[in-house]
Amino acid sequence: MNMPYRQVRAVYTEETITVYQAYDPAIAVPALAAQRFVPPFKRERMTWIKPSFLWMMYRCGYATKPGQARVLAIEITRAGFAWALSHATLSHEGGEEVRRSPVRVQWDPERDAHHNPLPYRSIQIGLSGEAVRRYADEWITAIHDVTPLAGRVHAELRAGRDVSPLLPAERPYPLEAGVAAVVGAS
């Protein structure tokens, strides 16, 4: 399969796109109950969202890493996602512009189910300041606990079985040309 080097791939509908985050239960449980991020979630900190389920599994070790025991699938508005990307600065550019930007984008190697790096990149989006406020207060339409799915995929992998039928059906996400240029998409 020939994938573009930098392409956003995600689960999405006409109105929403799904991103993933992993948290300690102290943050995840109240967020699930409220269907938004509430204390002890800290708005003052940068929060990273990831449209790739497998990259999230790599990051949180299938929900086995300390502080990342609960994996959340967060549906956000596509308008909010577009706002974030259009206000982004690429992390590798460094300098004052990155520090002032409400959104940072970095492209890391996508991962397969065994955490092996693939020859194309997956987008990670860091939200701070105004972007965190918009994310927490305006963009979220639903929060789902996908920790059981993470555990099932991990168990099936350890048993040597094919997990592809279990994985979320991510597909190329359409970006406007101007937004693609801002984030350095292929």
Side-chain angles (χ1 to χ4, degrees), residues 109-161:
E110 180 63 279
R111 302 292 170 150
D112 68 14
H114 297 280
H115 303 322
N116 298 310
L118 296 170
Y120 49 91
R121 301 288 171 149
S122 181
I123 195 168
Q124 322 308 318
I125 304 153
L127 307 174
S128 65
E130 179 184 3
V132 172
R133 182 194 60 75
R134 287 174 179 257
Y135 174 63
D137 295 339
E138 300 170 15
W139 302 344
I140 295 172
T141 63
I143 301 176
H144 309 280
D145 186 352
V146 292
T147 309
L149 174 61
R152 182 170 177 211
V153 171
H154 195 211
E156 293 293 309
L157 279 173
R158 287 193 318 265
R161 292 193 268 281

Side-chain angles (χ1 to χ4, degrees), residues 61-107:
Y62 288 98
T64 63
K65 291 184 179 177
Q68 298 181 50
R70 296 292 288 273
V71 182
L72 304 179
I74 301 115
E75 292 179 54
I76 64 172
T77 65
R78 286 179 64 171
F81 190 71
W83 185 95
L85 296 184
S86 67
H87 288 82
T89 301
L90 293 171
S91 287
H92 71 268
E93 291 178 357
E96 188 59 32
E97 183 178 352
V98 172
R99 282 188 287 284
R100 285 193 324 261
S101 178
V103 181
R104 294 182 192 175
V105 162
Q106 63 189 49
W107 293 91

Side-chain angles (χ1 to χ4, degrees), residues 2-23:
N2 192 11
M3 293 280 207
Y5 186 63
R6 290 180 174 172
Q7 178 186 58
V8 177
R9 289 169 299 282
V11 171
Y12 62 92
T13 68
E14 286 187 31
E15 294 85 30
T16 65
I17 179 171
T18 299
V19 295
Y20 301 94
Q21 293 189 282
Y23 285 107

Side-chain angles (χ1 to χ4, degrees), residues 32-95:
L32 285 160
Q35 286 296 290
R36 56 189 296 265
F37 286 103
V38 296
F41 178 82
K42 292 186 179 3
R43 292 170 179 247
E44 305 77 36
R45 296 186 59 191
M46 180 167 283
T47 190
W48 288 87
I49 58 175
K50 301 148 187 70
S52 167
F53 178 80
L54 285 176
W55 205 95
M56 185 72 255
M57 295 305 98
Y58 164 71
R59 179 71 178 88
C60 72
Y62 288 98
T64 63
K65 291 184 179 177
Q68 298 181 50
R70 296 292 288 273
V71 182
L72 304 179
I74 301 115
E75 292 179 54
I76 64 172
T77 65
R78 286 179 64 171
F81 190 71
W83 185 95
L85 296 184
S86 67
H87 288 82
T89 301
L90 293 171
S91 287
H92 71 268
E93 291 178 357

